[in-house]
Amino acid sequence: MDLPTQPNLSAKNRWREEIAALPSWLRRPIGNASEISTVQRIVKQRQIHTICEEGRCPNRGECYANKTATFLLMGPTCTRACAFCQVDKGHSPMPLDPEEPQKIAESVQLLGLRYVVLTSVARDDLPDQGAGWFVATMDAIRRLNPDTQIEVLTADFWGGRGKENQTPTELQRQRVKTVVQARPACYNHNIETVKRLQGQVRRGAQYERSLDVLRIVKALDPTIPTKSGLMVGHGETEAEVIEAMEDLRRAECDRLTLGQYMRPSLEHLIVQRYWTPEEFERLGAIAKDMGFTHVRSGPLVRSSYHAGE
């Protein structure tokens, strides 16, 4: 579904027009209100964050009911400025909360979560960019919740300076290795969009660097499943999406999510097109034929959708 050009409207009216233009397949009830309010209360009391709430995920009620949630580590402020993401951006993030790993572990226990996804803002300001913080949080969760499985969704861990003049490539490998050695149930890193659109959609990231994260995981431990995700709606073609999926398979990526980009605010990138459910179904079938072991493809699919399956 291609979008009509908009007349000169006030910001408020333009936003109303965009909401009204949403196709029917992107409208869904918010889900079980009691499940959502329970999670909101617990995370607010502990001053921790979930990407489910920070990103206003449309599936959060469903995931909470299925005893799955995605926690956002290292504060709510990201050092990068991706043009699609609703998470706050800034060059001076908050200091790490030394109690955050324990707070998250207690929240997992209180909510009875069976499957947890740990993601984070990018923290280019930290020497290891937060790799050790993922491990500390995994350890805390496992102490209180030994039967809970943990998936990680990390940044690309690129940049900065290490000891003895280590190159960015060496640093990236070292940081990924830190997380891999903690043996997550799945290692996820999203390429987000097709190769041609990386620069305008993912500021500060690069296509090959992201593929390298997945390659490094498999080189270090082939038994850990890897996963990545793509958003459509930025102006890509179906051929470009298929090419990106082929690149992921060449990087030995096992699992894939495909979903529709939905503009969080007027400050974010405009949606170029709404892909139909039938188009997502076709892409999902192509992905399965390529050899992905798990595929979730649909307009409202997000990176952690049905992750516990």
Side-chain angles (χ1 to χ4, degrees), residues 34-69:
S34 64
E35 295 279 2
I36 292 174
S37 62
T38 297
V39 175
Q40 289 174 335
R41 174 175 50 80
I42 287 173
V43 300
K44 185 175 182 180
Q45 285 174 345
R46 283 161 180 75
Q47 295 182 303
I48 57 178
H49 306 275
T50 67
I51 194 62
C52 320
E53 297 299 326
E54 300 292 332
R56 308 304 293 171
C57 178
N59 306 310
R60 62 193 188 281
E62 180 182 351
C63 290
Y64 296 162
N66 289 331
K67 301 301 180 185
T68 301

Side-chain angles (χ1 to χ4, degrees), residues 3 6 14-15 18 22 81-86 89 192-194 196-203 231-236 260-274:
L3 297 181
Q6 292 182 328
R14 285 206 330 270
W15 189 239
E18 279 198 32
L22 281 176
C82 293
F84 65 89
C85 183
Q86 191 170 5
K89 287 87 174 170
E192 306 291 7
T193 189
V194 300
R196 175 176 60 88
L197 298 173
Q198 291 282 315
Q200 67 187 71
V201 175
R202 302 177 71 213
R203 299 163 190 161
M231 299 173 296
V232 295
H234 290 299
E236 64 291 310
Q260 171 70 50
Y261 166 63
M262 294 170 68
R263 194 182 191 192
S265 78
L266 292 175
E267 297 177 357
H268 293 80
L269 286 173
I270 295 171
V271 179
Q272 299 296 324
R273 182 163 83 88
Y274 290 118

Side-chain angles (χ1 to χ4, degrees), residues 45-221:
Q45 285 174 345
R46 283 161 180 75
Q47 295 182 303
I48 57 178
H49 306 275
T50 67
I51 194 62
C52 320
E53 297 299 326
E54 300 292 332
R56 308 304 293 171
C57 178
N59 306 310
R60 62 193 188 281
E62 180 182 351
C63 290
Y64 296 162
N66 289 331
K67 301 301 180 185
T68 301
T70 301
F71 290 93
L72 183 66
L73 305 184
M74 295 179 267
T77 305
C78 187
T79 55
R80 300 190 187 175
C82 293
F84 65 89
C85 183
Q86 191 170 5
V87 173
D88 291 340
K89 287 87 174 170
H91 294 295
S92 301
M94 295 168 57
L96 296 179
D97 175 3
E99 297 180 4
E100 184 182 55
Q102 183 63 23
K103 289 175 180 178
I104 290 175
E106 291 170 358
S107 299
V108 170
Q109 186 179 52
L110 284 169
L111 293 167
L113 300 180
R114 298 188 297 264
Y115 196 92
V116 172
V117 182
L118 299 179
T119 190
S120 75
V121 293
R123 290 297 302 257
D124 298 298
D125 58 309
L126 299 176
D128 71 348
Q129 296 195 2
W133 203 252
F134 272 93
V135 176
T137 307
M138 293 168 72
D139 289 345
I141 291 171
R142 286 167 173 162
R143 281 194 294 271
L144 287 183
N145 312 273
D147 296 325
T148 298
Q149 294 193 71
I150 306 170
E151 176 178 319
V152 295
L153 169 54
T154 75
D156 61 15
F157 290 142
W158 180 268
R161 294 182 179 179
K163 298 176 182 177
E164 301 174 357
N165 297 317
Q166 290 172 294
T167 67
T169 300
E170 291 169 334
L171 287 169
Q172 183 186 46
R173 182 181 178 85
Q174 177 182 304
R175 293 158 181 164
V176 172
K177 183 177 181 180
T178 296
V179 180
V180 166
Q181 287 179 329
R183 293 201 52 79
C186 180
Y187 196 118
N188 187 355
H189 176 71
N190 291 330
I191 61 171
E192 306 291 7
T193 189
V194 300
K195 188 173 186 177
R196 175 176 60 88
L197 298 173
Q198 291 282 315
Q200 67 187 71
V201 175
R202 302 177 71 213
R203 299 163 190 161
Q206 289 187 9
Y207 192 69
E208 286 299 325
R209 288 178 191 169
S210 287
L211 290 174
D212 281 342
V213 172
L214 302 169
R215 295 183 186 114
I216 292 167
V217 175
K218 282 299 185 184
L220 291 169
D221 190 339

Side-chain angles (χ1 to χ4, degrees), residues 224-244:
I224 295 178
T226 51
K227 177 178 171 184
S228 194
L230 281 158
M231 299 173 296
V232 295
H234 290 299
E236 64 291 310
T237 65
E238 183 176 280
E240 287 177 312
V241 175
I242 293 171
E243 179 185 36

